[in-house]
Amino acid sequence: MSSPDLILDVLRAELRAASITYKELATRIGVSESSVKRMFGQKDMALSRLAQICQVTGIALEDILRRAADARPQAATLTLPQETSLVANPRLLLMAICCLGHWSLEQVIETYRLTEPECITLLAELDRLGLIELKPLNRYRLRVSNAFRWLPDGPVQRHFRNHVVEDYFAGGFDGPGESLMCLPARLSLASAQELGQKIGQLAGELARLHRNDRRLPADERDGYTLLLGFRSWELAAFTALRRG
């Protein structure tokens, strides 16, 4: 589906949510109802007309464009060579994670000891790798979906296991909104699969909140990381005590 198609689909959904019919919209923009139906049916609408419709209906044009961009088919994972390139350069991996968090170039420079030319070079490399689409003024758009995941047991996950997990669990997990739980259970395969599906739903909920909070000022958001693991496992020291 092309971008114009997505934009009109999003606009149609917004009109429906606002209970604005084609007939009412036609009255507001001074055309016939059949003309409105034709614009949406043929998916042929000038940008000036789109801006006019947004103005008379109170629908934010930037929200329409953002939702259409979010709806565009995107990859849920990177390839093995892409992830390998990221872990080979810690600064590139840092910039990739910042981009996945929708940081601006200015926020990265304010937070880390990276110069503007360094950041621009890293952004260009991420564009080459296909993680982002670099735009004018060093802005970017993610080329991966909101359901993005690192490859299972891929280069980035192995890097995290080797260098991140110990540092992550060294914290107290006692700050606002923080939590740490280790809950053993004996489950059937069906129950384990059911819980696996719920974990996937939780990841989707995290993505939704992350997407919604992008509209808040930077000083009202903080970096949180959800680290989940669920597998058939027993501590090796306990296994050693099992009866033959």
Side-chain angles (χ1 to χ4, degrees):
M1 186 179 292
S2 68
S3 294
D5 289 352
L6 284 172
I7 290 171
L8 290 182
D9 285 345
V10 171
L11 177 59
R12 182 187 293 110
E14 289 292 321
L15 291 171
R16 189 181 301 116
S19 300
I20 298 175
T21 64
Y22 284 164
K23 181 177 181 179
E24 182 178 351
L25 177 62
T27 301
R28 294 190 189 188
I29 63 176
V31 300
S32 66
E33 182 179 357
S34 60
S35 295
V36 171
K37 290 181 178 179
R38 185 165 54 251
M39 283 188 289
F40 281 94
Q42 297 178 354
K43 298 192 174 180
D44 180 18
M45 183 181 295
L47 181 59
S48 57
R49 179 69 77 185
L50 174 63
Q52 180 192 23
I53 291 174
C54 288
Q55 181 179 18
V56 300
T57 58
I59 298 172
L61 177 58
E62 56 269 25
D63 287 346
I64 296 291
L65 298 178
R66 184 185 300 110
R67 286 189 56 195
D70 289 341
R72 195 176 307 164
Q74 296 170 312
T77 64
L78 297 180
T79 64
L80 182 61
Q82 287 172 323
E83 284 201 5
T84 301
S85 296
L86 290 180
V87 299
N89 182 347
R91 295 191 174 204
L92 186 63
L93 179 59
L94 169 63
M95 182 60 75
I97 292 173
C98 287
C99 288
L100 290 171
H102 300 280
W103 287 40
S104 67
L105 176 67
E106 294 75 18
Q107 288 174 314
V108 175
I109 294 172
E110 289 173 2
T111 305
Y112 297 106
R113 290 194 302 272
L114 294 173
T115 66
E116 182 173 344
E118 284 178 308
C119 288
I120 293 173
T121 299
L122 294 170
L123 288 173
E125 180 63 12
L126 292 177
D127 178 271
R128 188 189 70 79
L129 288 175
L131 181 72
I132 66 170
E133 177 187 345
L134 191 56
K135 294 181 172 294
L137 302 177
N138 301 315
R139 302 306 185 220
Y140 62 87
R141 180 184 70 83
L142 287 176
R143 285 178 172 168
V144 295
S145 72
N146 291 318
F148 174 77
R149 302 287 186 276
W150 299 114
L151 290 172
D153 199 33
V156 174
Q157 279 200 0
R158 291 196 296 270
H159 177 80
F160 286 168
R161 277 201 301 269
N162 294 334
H163 304 285
V164 175
V165 172
E166 182 178 354
D167 183 67
Y168 179 83
F169 283 106
F173 292 88
D174 52 2
E178 296 181 356
S179 177
L180 175 64
M181 293 181 287
C182 182
L183 306 174
R186 295 188 65 82
L187 302 175
S188 66
L189 177 59
S191 294
Q193 291 174 333
E194 179 182 344
L195 188 60
Q197 292 176 349
K198 293 184 183 300
I199 290 174
Q201 293 170 2
L202 176 62
E205 182 66 8
L206 177 64
R208 182 188 67 81
L209 294 170
H210 173 66
R211 184 170 60 252
N212 290 348
D213 286 356
R214 283 163 50 186
R215 303 179 183 182
L216 297 175
D219 59 1
E220 293 184 18
R221 294 175 290 155
D222 200 358
Y224 286 84
T225 297
L226 177 65
L227 183 59
L228 282 173
F230 178 65
R231 69 184 182 98
S232 177
W233 170 83
E234 182 180 57
L235 188 65
F238 296 167
T239 303
L241 292 173
R242 281 182 173 261
R243 298 183 185 276

